[in-house]
Amino acid sequence: MAEPDYYCRPVPPFGDPDARIVLVGLAPGMHGANRTGRPFTGDHAGILLYQTLYKYGLASGPVSTAADDGLKLLDARITNSVKCLPPANKPLPVEIRTCNGYLRAELAQSPGARVVLALGAIAHAAVLQACDLSPGQFRFAHAAEHRLNGERVLLDSYHCSRYNTQTRRLTTGMFESVIARARELSLH
């Protein structure tokens, strides 16, 4: 094993099991969640995510450094479409399909979740698959809102990756607006 101190197992969800907001990412990052065992922890994507969750009262602190750092999510839970580090850090369709049963179960075990926030188009498609909904009816677009089965809303955001933030496809203001909207929708 190249990194004997890394977590290197399926990364479990993190946060409040009774959360009203469930954030769905793509997959564990090679030197992020694959190393730490917590989604969006230890890589660039987590910087904007945790700062924004903290700003909107959804995290006890603005930084996530390790699975045992004491950080708590408040009325929020984070999971990924794919549970293990994918080859070349990009999940294959078969991995997304294989892991979808886990996402389906996580959403079913979160009956109080009013908002599912998909971070990226792959997460968007995985949520639809987990809810047995046709992707053709729900097109991914940043800040798009889709009514799912029952009272749930699927809210889309560009992924908070280094690439998206450095190219300004996703700005801090854009991401903060989506998190603020998720918070607002979760309270109704």
Side-chain angles (χ1 to χ4, degrees), residues 32 35-38 40-43 50 62-71:
R35 178 176 58 83
T36 65
R38 180 192 285 167
F40 290 91
T41 299
D43 60 17
Y50 286 108
V63 178
S64 178
T65 58
D68 62 356
D69 63 9
L71 182 73

Side-chain angles (χ1 to χ4, degrees), residues 127-156:
V127 169
L128 294 176
Q129 182 181 350
C131 295
D132 295 318
L133 296 169
S134 169
Q137 294 177 287
F138 307 90
R139 297 190 55 99
F140 175 83
H142 181 76
E145 297 178 22
H146 310 280
R147 182 72 51 193
L148 298 179
N149 302 334
E151 295 294 317
R152 281 192 180 161
V153 173
L154 172 60
L155 180 60
D156 293 335

Side-chain angles (χ1 to χ4, degrees), residues 18-40:
D18 297 319
R20 295 172 64 85
I21 302 170
V22 175
L23 296 94
V24 181
L26 179 56
M30 181 179 297
H31 302 293
N34 183 59
R35 178 176 58 83
T36 65
R38 180 192 285 167
F40 290 91

Side-chain angles (χ1 to χ4, degrees), residues 24-90:
V24 181
L26 179 56
M30 181 179 297
H31 302 293
N34 183 59
R35 178 176 58 83
T36 65
R38 180 192 285 167
F40 290 91
T41 299
D43 60 17
H44 186 81
I47 295 170
L48 177 59
L49 176 65
Y50 286 108
Q51 285 174 348
T52 307
L53 292 175
Y54 177 68
K55 179 175 181 174
Y56 288 92
L58 297 168
S60 63
V63 178
S64 178
T65 58
D68 62 356
D69 63 9
L71 182 73
K72 303 273 188 254
L73 293 185
L74 313 167
D75 209 16
R77 187 169 180 83
I78 303 172
T79 191
N80 279 312
S81 304
V82 173
K83 303 304 177 191
C84 298
L85 174 68
N89 219 21
K90 181 174 168 89

